[in-house]
Structure formats: C-alpha cells, structure tokens
Amino acid sequence: MRQSTQTVVTSAFQAPGAVPVVGAPMAGGASTPELVAAVNEAGGMGFLAGGYASPDALASRIARTRELTGRPFGVNLFVPGPDTADRERVQAYAREIAPEMDALGAAAGEPRWSDDDYPAKLALLLEDPVPVVGFTFGAPAAAEAAALHTAGSAVMVTVTTPDEARAAAQAGADALCVQGAEAGGHQGSFDDAEERTLPLLDLLGRVREAVDLPLVAAGGIGDAAAVRKVLSHGAVAAQVGTVLLRTDESGASAAHKRALADEVFPGTAVTRAFSGRRARGLVNRFLSAHTSEAPAAYPQVHYLTGPMRAAAAKEGDTDRLHLWAGTAYRSAEECPAADVVRSLAEGADTTAPARP
C-alpha cells in the first residue's frame, strides 16, 4: 500500500485538467467544504482544516465535501504538543489584556491545554479514509502513518526546517508541505521555541537536499509568477491560503475579508498575541500592543482570547481580531475561488512526470 500512497499527491497534479495548486487548510472556519470543492473543480487540490473542529463536525464536513466534489482532497490535523506553558506568565498576560476583553463585553476564556481531539479525529480518518491526511505542528507517529497507509491515505507533513523534513520522512511522510517564513497564520514548526526565518525559496532548496520526497511550497504565493517560481525550484505544487480568504466560498469573517483590502493596515508581522504560538497576521492595534508580552503558551492563549476574538469578528472590530495573512495578502480578491486557482495556474508547466 505504501508504494501507491507515495504517488497520490503527485499524480493528483498530473490528472486531466489538474493544476499544481493546493488550497491550504485554514482552521477556524475559513476552509469550508464549498471552498475545497471550488479549488478541486478548478483543477487543484483542496484541504479541509481539522484543527479546532470536533470529530463530529469534521465528519460532517468530510461528508459534505464528498457531496460537492469527486476529485481528491485532503484533511489536515494539528499534532498536539506537550503542556509546557508557564501558568504564571499566562495569568499575567490575562490580566494585561483584560481591558481589551472588557471593551467588547467578552469574558476571558479558560487558558487550558488540549490535544484538539487528535486521537478521535485520527480514528475518524482511519475509519473513513480520505486521499491525503496532512499534519501541522509535528509529524504523526510512525505507527499512525503506517495505519493511514494501510487505509489508503497519503501522508503529508508541514515542515519549516531541513531537520523537520528528515523527521517527517522517517515517520513515513509521502510528501511535505514546505512552509516558508512568508506564510500567513500559524507557523507549522514542530518546536515553537524559535522563530522561523528561512524564506520559502531558500527553504525549498535546503529541504530538497535533505530528503527525496515530493514538496508542496507554501508561503507568500499570490500570483502565477510565484507559482511558476516555486515549481522551477523543485516543488510539485504551490499551496495558497491568504489569496483564497476573500473568495465567495471562504468562511472567513466579513471583518477579516474587509481588512485584507483595507490600506489602513501597514503590513504583516509574526505574533503570539492571539494564540500563544507564532503566527503571521495583519499589523493591528492588539498585535502591536501585546506581542512583546505574549507568552509562548499554545493553546492556552488561543482559548484565553477566543471569546474576545469571536466578539471582535461579530462587531467588525479589526483592532482586536486575529487577521491572519501572508505577505502576499494584497493579492487577495473578492471573486469565486475557482477564478483564483485558474489565475494562479496560468502558464504553469503541468507536463512533468509524477515522481515515483
């Protein structure tokens, strides 16, 4: 079974009508079944985000996606890390941001550790397999990857360093999502202790030297020229997320969609302020005010700020909302997702043979 799963990712981009574009799994609601299906029907490969979803909700989204598309798609899971948060620092941070909560009439969430129902969601995917299962924040155990292979699923792991690439390959990954520093949202590094600094093209080259696996490039990809560039540097496809956020099928909040087109935001920066884990977003007031004091405490800070962020989204308050965005966010347009995918694939060479 392993030999067949190794070709799932590359062969998906060689099928008739296929294009080398992957729709990124964006946790929190942006990656709807409708968005996955739209990416697929334009010839790409869409991903559902399993992160933050309950097992029942994920099962429902998988079923809905199957109703909408017959092309291969993926489901991504967050690999839980150890509970290493400094509780005193988390409580101090809670006190610091309390006025932000009060301004929106939101109570602070409970700053707790969670495994994000990882075992239950993995069991779901073993019982009801999908073509590709992705992993972020770490690699699956070798036994978990082997079980997915037996079920017929390919395994793709997000990596941010050559060492992570080697570890993922050893665990049984069939392909890697190589995430450069330009990417929006959470950094997919296994160890969040140090900031990732490698630009995508540099990282692609180093990972290609480290492992012999198909590579999907992610980070700051906003147009067809960027797609062609990563393909010329050895990627089999480009993964995009930010440029899909404003599309008709995206589940991103209306406030987030508006912010991506609002010139009041000067750019992006990496922060722990909203979740306790490094993530790239638009520079707004909350990010500017609290990045320096935010502790390395994920998912504790994610749960702590959750009610505030939900209230901010509802009220359209972009000063206190997590506005995840990659460096190419100005390329995001309000249009059907299929149009974005077709535009990204313009001029891409899809004739190269699939890797074994």
Side-chain angles (χ1 to χ4, degrees):
M1 184 63 70
R2 176 68 193 280
Q3 185 61 36
S4 64
T5 59
Q6 286 180 326
T7 64
V8 168
V9 175
T10 49
S11 63
F13 305 117
Q14 304 299 321
V19 298
V21 176
V22 174
M26 295 178 284
S31 292
T32 63
E34 290 74 18
L35 180 58
V36 173
V39 170
N40 278 18
E41 297 315 301
M45 178 187 287
F47 261 81
L48 285 173
Y52 308 139
S54 70
D56 287 346
L58 180 57
S60 177
R61 292 170 195 172
I62 291 171
R64 177 58 177 159
T65 302
R66 289 194 177 113
E67 293 176 355
L68 296 173
T69 179
R71 297 180 69 98
F73 66 94
V75 173
N76 189 71
L77 301 181
F78 287 165
V79 178
D83 183 2
T84 58
D86 184 325
R87 288 170 174 76
E88 291 186 2
R89 287 200 62 194
V90 172
Q91 291 301 324
Y93 187 62
R95 292 190 293 271
E96 176 184 324
I97 65 174
E100 308 278 8
M101 307 275 189
D102 294 341
L104 285 168
E110 178 189 356
R112 60 189 175 86
W113 180 87
S114 166
D115 66 3
D116 196 40
D117 288 323
Y118 176 82
K121 285 185 275 196
L122 184 62
L124 167 67
L125 294 171
L126 290 172
E127 295 168 4
D128 187 14
V130 297
V132 184
V133 178
F135 294 87
T136 301
F137 304 156
E144 293 169 343
L148 288 166
H149 290 149
T150 299
S153 299
V155 172
M156 186 160 73
V157 178
T158 297
V159 300
T160 63
T161 69
D163 284 345
E164 290 177 0
R166 295 185 189 96
Q170 187 173 6
D174 300 292
L176 304 177
C177 176
V178 179
Q179 188 189 51
E182 305 92 335
H186 284 107
Q187 298 185 354
S189 51
F190 293 9
D191 182 354
D192 191 42
E194 296 182 5
E195 183 175 3
R196 185 187 65 238
T197 58
L198 285 178
L200 177 57
L201 295 182
D202 289 350
L203 181 60
L204 265 178
R206 297 192 189 190
V207 172
R208 274 176 54 81
E209 293 175 356
V211 299
D212 185 23
L213 289 173
L215 308 180
V216 174
I221 298 172
D223 56 27
V227 173
R228 292 194 295 271
K229 184 167 289 187
V230 297
L231 296 180
S232 72
H233 281 69
V236 299
Q239 178 171 289
V240 296
T242 303
V243 293
L244 295 173
L245 283 174
R246 296 185 66 211
T247 62
D248 300 343
E249 299 85 356
S250 164
S253 69
H256 194 170
K257 291 183 176 184
R258 288 196 304 270
L260 290 166
D262 192 337
E263 294 187 1
V264 71
F265 298 102
T268 66
V270 175
T271 184
R272 297 186 193 273
F274 295 102
S275 72
R277 187 179 182 95
R278 295 182 185 276
R280 182 176 295 279
L282 296 179
V283 177
N284 62 5
R285 195 185 59 74
F286 189 92
L287 183 152
S288 298
H290 301 294
T291 291
S292 63
E293 298 301 322
Y298 177 87
Q300 286 87 347
V301 173
H302 163 77
Y303 290 118
L304 171 67
T305 65
M308 177 195 73
R309 292 181 285 118
K314 182 177 180 180
E315 298 296 327
D317 182 349
T318 53
D319 278 336
R320 298 178 177 88
L321 184 61
H322 59 299
L323 302 171
W324 300 149
T327 56
Y329 70 95
R330 292 296 186 196
S331 298
E333 296 183 0
E334 190 175 5
C335 64
D339 291 353
V340 174
V341 174
R342 295 187 186 104
S343 176
L344 289 167
E346 184 178 353
D349 180 7
T350 60
T351 62
R355 295 178 50 163

